[in-house]
Amino acid sequence: MADISIIDVATRSGNEDTLGTGIYAKALSEFIQQCATPLTIGIQGEWGSGKTSLLNLIKENIEEQERKHYSNTLKGSDEYKIIEINTWEHSLLKSPEETLISILSEIADKISKTSGSLESGQKTKKYLGNIARGALRIGAAAALGDKGAQVTEELLGESDNSVKQLRNTLQETVNTIIHSDSPVKKFIIFVDDLDRLNPVDAVQILELLKNIFSIMGCVFVLAIDYQVVVKGLKHKFGEMTEENEWEFRAFFDKIIQMPFMMPMS
């Protein structure tokens, strides 16, 4: 008996491409390999529109390709290191600040492991530890009602507790890898499932994450529903109207340099 229903499982290559996203995955994977960095791409679409399937196909297109390099054959997985981040898994039972630290830890760990440098790993762990301690202090102060305890200078400023210092260390590591004898050309970081979070938390995590989106040699690909961003910004801008719609779009455009809208039939 033939199947008469569909299931909500992300597509991978070899499966039937029921959403017809294969052609877009091919074009996007080629663009990602050739684009200048840093770049942040936004894969926009409603929940269930196939964003995760598209990410899977892009990843497989990039990693499975082969090219001749002198007497060797290089695979895409040798030249393009893909890091997959599931924000939903990182956010379970965590505050937005703790979620940020968890996400940054995974990104930093995977980049450092690619470098094979003990020093690089130790430096990133140092800054991650400082950031974590700063976030805990902020959370404790906020719980006691200190309105001034916001995620500002402590995490985003110039101190050793800041994301900026971690970003600088990651930039050094990425530069060392790309300009060494390593075949690695780029790091591609997929950030998925943001739209499964509370909209306010999703927006706060985006605001925090944007501080590392400027790493040369890296392409960030975010799968997100724009309407989640709109809901998460209502406390800041109020209900979206024709008069203030530009404020919602401006927030999004500051984070996303290249938007791609999922095709919907």
Side-chain angles (χ1 to χ4, degrees):
M1 180 178 176
D3 293 334
I4 58 172
S5 65
I6 59 173
I7 58 175
D8 182 25
V9 176
T11 297
R12 294 191 178 273
S13 64
N15 295 343
E16 183 181 358
D17 184 16
T18 55
L19 296 176
T21 54
I23 187 171
Y24 303 105
K26 186 175 186 298
L28 283 167
S29 63
E30 290 175 356
F31 174 80
I32 288 169
Q33 292 169 78
Q34 297 170 17
C35 71
T37 63
L39 185 72
T40 304
I41 300 172
I43 307 295
Q44 301 176 52
E46 298 176 357
W47 185 87
S49 60
K51 298 188 295 297
T52 300
S53 294
L54 183 60
L55 293 185
N56 287 341
L57 293 174
I58 292 171
K59 175 179 183 288
E60 290 164 3
N61 280 342
I62 291 173
E63 290 188 333
E64 292 175 5
Q65 68 176 10
E66 295 182 348
R67 73 176 182 90
K68 283 289 184 183
H69 181 68
Y70 300 109
S71 59
N72 299 322
T73 298
L74 284 178
K75 295 198 69 172
S77 55
D78 297 321
E79 298 184 287
Y80 303 96
K81 292 301 178 183
I82 293 178
I83 297 171
E84 297 177 273
I85 302 296
N86 184 302
T87 52
W88 169 251
E89 292 178 358
H90 282 284
S91 71
L92 295 174
L93 302 177
K94 296 187 183 82
S95 69
E97 297 80 31
E98 290 170 326
T99 301
L100 170 75
I101 294 161
S102 182
I103 291 171
L104 290 178
S105 295
E106 183 172 357
I107 293 173
D109 183 58
K110 289 184 176 176
I111 289 177
S112 296
K113 282 182 177 176
T114 302
S115 76
S117 166
L118 180 61
E119 181 185 1
S120 168
Q122 289 174 335
K123 285 180 74 174
T124 55
K125 285 179 181 178
K126 169 195 168 186
Y127 287 123
L128 282 167
N130 289 343
I131 293 168
R133 286 190 289 274
L136 288 174
R137 284 196 297 275
I138 289 169
L144 294 172
D146 182 354
K147 299 298 183 183
Q150 302 295 324
V151 186
T152 52
E153 189 62 28
E154 180 99 40
L155 292 183
L156 307 180
E158 301 290 336
S159 72
D160 280 351
N161 299 336
S162 73
V163 174
K164 181 177 179 180
Q165 296 299 327
L166 174 65
R167 184 188 67 214
N168 291 342
T169 299
L170 290 177
Q171 182 67 78
E172 291 173 10
T173 306
V174 169
N175 288 345
T176 299
I177 294 168
I178 291 175
H179 297 126
S180 68
D181 293 334
S182 164
V184 177
K185 291 180 177 179
K186 274 179 190 168
F187 287 87
I188 305 163
I189 297 95
F190 289 161
V191 182
D192 198 7
D193 275 345
L194 276 164
D195 46 15
R196 291 185 67 183
L197 307 183
N198 176 292
V200 174
D201 291 345
V203 165
Q204 190 171 349
I205 289 166
L206 272 176
E207 284 190 292
L208 295 169
L209 273 178
K210 75 179 181 182
N211 291 277
I212 65 162
F213 289 163
S214 58
I215 300 176
M216 294 290 294
C218 293
V219 178
F220 286 83
V221 186
L222 313 182
I224 190 166
D225 181 353
Y226 176 63
Q227 293 307 313
V228 169
V229 174
V230 170
K231 290 176 184 176
L233 288 171
K234 283 182 180 178
H235 72 288
K236 192 172 185 179
F237 302 132
E239 291 290 332
M240 188 167 69
T241 65
E242 289 185 6
E243 287 73 27
N244 69 1
E245 182 180 2
W246 68 270
E247 293 182 292
F248 291 85
R249 180 54 65 180
F251 173 90
F252 198 72
D253 289 345
K254 284 178 183 176
I255 295 173
I256 305 296
Q257 285 85 56
M258 194 194 109
F260 173 83
M261 183 65 71
M262 288 296 300
M264 297 293 287
S265 60

mmCIF file with all atom_site columns, all heavy atoms in Angstrom, residues 8 25 40 44 85 108 116 164 170 172 230 263:
data_model
loop_
_atom_site.group_PDB
_atom_site.id
_atom_site.type_symbol
_atom_site.label_atom_id
_atom_site.label_alt_id
_atom_site.label_comp_id
_atom_site.label_asym_id
_atom_site.label_entity_id
_atom_site.label_seq_id
_atom_site.pdbx_PDB_ins_code
_atom_site.Cartn_x
_atom_site.Cartn_y
_atom_site.Cartn_z
_atom_site.occupancy
_atom_site.B_iso_or_equiv
_atom_site.pdbx_formal_charge
_atom_site.auth_seq_id
_atom_site.auth_comp_id
_atom_site.auth_asym_id
_atom_site.auth_atom_id
_atom_site.pdbx_PDB_model_num
ATOM 1  N N   . ASP A 1 8   ? 6.994  15.024 9.214  1.00 0.00 ? 8   ASP A N   1
ATOM 2  C CA  . ASP A 1 8   ? 7.742  16.247 9.494  1.00 0.00 ? 8   ASP A CA  1
ATOM 3  C C   . ASP A 1 8   ? 9.170  15.906 9.903  1.00 0.00 ? 8   ASP A C   1
ATOM 4  O O   . ASP A 1 8   ? 9.562  16.024 11.048 1.00 0.00 ? 8   ASP A O   1
ATOM 5  C CB  . ASP A 1 8   ? 7.035  17.043 10.596 1.00 0.00 ? 8   ASP A CB  1
ATOM 6  C CG  . ASP A 1 8   ? 7.737  18.356 10.887 1.00 0.00 ? 8   ASP A CG  1
ATOM 7  O OD1 . ASP A 1 8   ? 8.430  18.857 9.990  1.00 0.00 ? 8   ASP A OD1 1
ATOM 8  O OD2 . ASP A 1 8   ? 7.588  18.869 12.019 1.00 0.00 ? 8   ASP A OD2 1
ATOM 9  N N   . ALA A 1 25  ? 19.287 24.756 -2.899 1.00 0.00 ? 25  ALA A N   1
ATOM 10 C CA  . ALA A 1 25  ? 20.431 24.302 -2.100 1.00 0.00 ? 25  ALA A CA  1
ATOM 11 C C   . ALA A 1 25  ? 21.706 24.323 -2.932 1.00 0.00 ? 25  ALA A C   1
ATOM 12 O O   . ALA A 1 25  ? 22.767 24.736 -2.458 1.00 0.00 ? 25  ALA A O   1
ATOM 13 C CB  . ALA A 1 25  ? 20.172 22.896 -1.566 1.00 0.00 ? 25  ALA A CB  1
ATOM 14 N N   . THR A 1 40  ? 26.566 36.977 6.772  1.00 0.00 ? 40  THR A N   1
ATOM 15 C CA  . THR A 1 40  ? 25.483 36.292 7.478  1.00 0.00 ? 40  THR A CA  1
ATOM 16 C C   . THR A 1 40  ? 24.306 36.152 6.530  1.00 0.00 ? 40  THR A C   1
ATOM 17 O O   . THR A 1 40  ? 23.814 37.150 5.983  1.00 0.00 ? 40  THR A O   1
ATOM 18 C CB  . THR A 1 40  ? 25.039 37.063 8.732  1.00 0.00 ? 40  THR A CB  1
ATOM 19 O OG1 . THR A 1 40  ? 26.179 37.275 9.574  1.00 0.00 ? 40  THR A OG1 1
ATOM 20 C CG2 . THR A 1 40  ? 23.994 36.276 9.510  1.00 0.00 ? 40  THR A CG2 1
ATOM 21 N N   . GLN A 1 44  ? 14.848 32.420 5.545  1.00 0.00 ? 44  GLN A N   1
ATOM 22 C CA  . GLN A 1 44  ? 13.595 32.828 6.178  1.00 0.00 ? 44  GLN A CA  1
ATOM 23 C C   . GLN A 1 44  ? 12.431 31.962 5.708  1.00 0.00 ? 44  GLN A C   1
ATOM 24 O O   . GLN A 1 44  ? 12.325 31.637 4.537  1.00 0.00 ? 44  GLN A O   1
ATOM 25 C CB  . GLN A 1 44  ? 13.290 34.286 5.847  1.00 0.00 ? 44  GLN A CB  1
ATOM 26 C CG  . GLN A 1 44  ? 14.357 35.265 6.292  1.00 0.00 ? 44  GLN A CG  1
ATOM 27 C CD  . GLN A 1 44  ? 14.016 36.668 5.845  1.00 0.00 ? 44  GLN A CD  1
ATOM 28 O OE1 . GLN A 1 44  ? 12.929 37.170 6.076  1.00 0.00 ? 44  GLN A OE1 1
ATOM 29 N NE2 . GLN A 1 44  ? 14.973 37.320 5.198  1.00 0.00 ? 44  GLN A NE2 1
ATOM 30 N N   . ILE A 1 85  ? 24.781 24.285 14.692 1.00 0.00 ? 85  ILE A N   1
ATOM 31 C CA  . ILE A 1 85  ? 24.323 24.702 16.013 1.00 0.00 ? 85  ILE A CA  1
ATOM 32 C C   . ILE A 1 85  ? 22.808 24.600 16.083 1.00 0.00 ? 85  ILE A C   1
ATOM 33 O O   . ILE A 1 85  ? 22.090 25.227 15.292 1.00 0.00 ? 85  ILE A O   1
ATOM 34 C CB  . ILE A 1 85  ? 24.742 26.158 16.314 1.00 0.00 ? 85  ILE A CB  1
ATOM 35 C CG1 . ILE A 1 85  ? 26.267 26.317 16.220 1.00 0.00 ? 85  ILE A CG1 1
ATOM 36 C CG2 . ILE A 1 85  ? 24.225 26.595 17.676 1.00 0.00 ? 85  ILE A CG2 1
ATOM 37 C CD1 . ILE A 1 85  ? 27.048 25.543 17.233 1.00 0.00 ? 85  ILE A CD1 1
ATOM 38 N N   . ALA A 1 108 ? 33.497 27.728 19.463 1.00 0.00 ? 108 ALA A N   1
ATOM 39 C CA  . ALA A 1 108 ? 34.919 27.894 19.803 1.00 0.00 ? 108 ALA A CA  1
ATOM 40 C C   . ALA A 1 108 ? 35.632 26.553 19.880 1.00 0.00 ? 108 ALA A C   1
ATOM 41 O O   . ALA A 1 108 ? 36.769 26.400 19.401 1.00 0.00 ? 108 ALA A O   1
ATOM 42 C CB  . ALA A 1 108 ? 35.043 28.642 21.128 1.00 0.00 ? 108 ALA A CB  1
ATOM 43 N N   . GLY A 1 116 ? 44.048 22.472 15.889 1.00 0.00 ? 116 GLY A N   1
ATOM 44 C CA  . GLY A 1 116 ? 44.980 21.545 16.522 1.00 0.00 ? 116 GLY A CA  1
ATOM 45 C C   . GLY A 1 116 ? 45.937 22.229 17.471 1.00 0.00 ? 116 GLY A C   1
ATOM 46 O O   . GLY A 1 116 ? 46.937 21.648 17.894 1.00 0.00 ? 116 GLY A O   1
ATOM 47 N N   . LYS A 1 164 ? 33.646 40.336 22.776 1.00 0.00 ? 164 LYS A N   1
ATOM 48 C CA  . LYS A 1 164 ? 34.600 40.916 21.829 1.00 0.00 ? 164 LYS A CA  1
ATOM 49 C C   . LYS A 1 164 ? 35.968 40.265 21.952 1.00 0.00 ? 164 LYS A C   1
ATOM 50 O O   . LYS A 1 164 ? 36.624 39.971 20.941 1.00 0.00 ? 164 LYS A O   1
ATOM 51 C CB  . LYS A 1 164 ? 34.715 42.423 22.067 1.00 0.00 ? 164 LYS A CB  1
ATOM 52 C CG  . LYS A 1 164 ? 35.671 43.116 21.099 1.00 0.00 ? 164 LYS A CG  1
ATOM 53 C CD  . LYS A 1 164 ? 35.712 44.611 21.323 1.00 0.00 ? 164 LYS A CD  1
ATOM 54 C CE  . LYS A 1 164 ? 36.686 45.282 20.368 1.00 0.00 ? 164 LYS A CE  1
ATOM 55 N NZ  . LYS A 1 164 ? 36.741 46.738 20.564 1.00 0.00 ? 164 LYS A NZ  1
ATOM 56 N N   . LEU A 1 170 ? 39.021 34.036 18.395 1.00 0.00 ? 170 LEU A N   1
ATOM 57 C CA  . LEU A 1 170 ? 38.534 33.151 17.330 1.00 0.00 ? 170 LEU A CA  1
ATOM 58 C C   . LEU A 1 170 ? 39.020 33.643 15.967 1.00 0.00 ? 170 LEU A C   1
ATOM 59 O O   . LEU A 1 170 ? 39.366 32.839 15.100 1.00 0.00 ? 170 LEU A O   1
ATOM 60 C CB  . LEU A 1 170 ? 37.006 33.083 17.355 1.00 0.00 ? 170 LEU A CB  1
ATOM 61 C CG  . LEU A 1 170 ? 36.383 32.342 18.536 1.00 0.00 ? 170 LEU A CG  1
ATOM 62 C CD1 . LEU A 1 170 ? 34.863 32.416 18.474 1.00 0.00 ? 170 LEU A CD1 1
ATOM 63 C CD2 . LEU A 1 170 ? 36.833 30.883 18.567 1.00 0.00 ? 170 LEU A CD2 1
ATOM 64 N N   . GLU A 1 172 ? 41.818 35.233 15.343 1.00 0.00 ? 172 GLU A N   1
ATOM 65 C CA  . GLU A 1 172 ? 43.223 34.842 15.241 1.00 0.00 ? 172 GLU A CA  1
ATOM 66 C C   . GLU A 1 172 ? 43.352 33.373 14.848 1.00 0.00 ? 172 GLU A C   1
ATOM 67 O O   . GLU A 1 172 ? 44.174 33.003 14.000 1.00 0.00 ? 172 GLU A O   1
ATOM 68 C CB  . GLU A 1 172 ? 43.942 35.078 16.575 1.00 0.00 ? 172 GLU A CB  1
ATOM 69 C CG  . GLU A 1 172 ? 44.122 36.539 16.953 1.00 0.00 ? 172 GLU A CG  1
ATOM 70 C CD  . GLU A 1 172 ? 44.674 36.686 18.358 1.00 0.00 ? 172 GLU A CD  1
ATOM 71 O OE1 . GLU A 1 172 ? 45.093 35.663 18.947 1.00 0.00 ? 172 GLU A OE1 1
ATOM 72 O OE2 . GLU A 1 172 ? 44.684 37.813 18.875 1.00 0.00 ? 172 GLU A OE2 1
ATOM 73 N N   . VAL A 1 230 ? 9.683  39.623 14.742 1.00 0.00 ? 230 VAL A N   1
ATOM 74 C CA  . VAL A 1 230 ? 8.674  40.674 14.941 1.00 0.00 ? 230 VAL A CA  1
ATOM 75 C C   . VAL A 1 230 ? 8.039  40.539 16.321 1.00 0.00 ? 230 VAL A C   1
ATOM 76 O O   . VAL A 1 230 ? 7.924  41.517 17.070 1.00 0.00 ? 230 VAL A O   1
ATOM 77 C CB  . VAL A 1 230 ? 7.600  40.612 13.832 1.00 0.00 ? 230 VAL A CB  1
ATOM 78 C CG1 . VAL A 1 230 ? 6.424  41.533 14.171 1.00 0.00 ? 230 VAL A CG1 1
ATOM 79 C CG2 . VAL A 1 230 ? 8.194  40.998 12.484 1.00 0.00 ? 230 VAL A CG2 1
ATOM 80 N N   . PRO A 1 263 ? 10.960 29.162 -0.723 1.00 0.00 ? 263 PRO A N   1
ATOM 81 C CA  . PRO A 1 263 ? 9.880  29.162 -1.741 1.00 0.00 ? 263 PRO A CA  1
ATOM 82 C C   . PRO A 1 263 ? 8.667  28.412 -1.207 1.00 0.00 ? 263 PRO A C   1
ATOM 83 O O   . PRO A 1 263 ? 8.788  27.340 -0.620 1.00 0.00 ? 263 PRO A O   1
ATOM 84 C CB  . PRO A 1 263 ? 10.516 28.427 -2.921 1.00 0.00 ? 263 PRO A CB  1
ATOM 85 C CG  . PRO A 1 263 ? 11.561 27.550 -2.298 1.00 0.00 ? 263 PRO A CG  1
ATOM 86 C CD  . PRO A 1 263 ? 12.094 28.310 -1.112 1.00 0.00 ? 263 PRO A CD  1
#
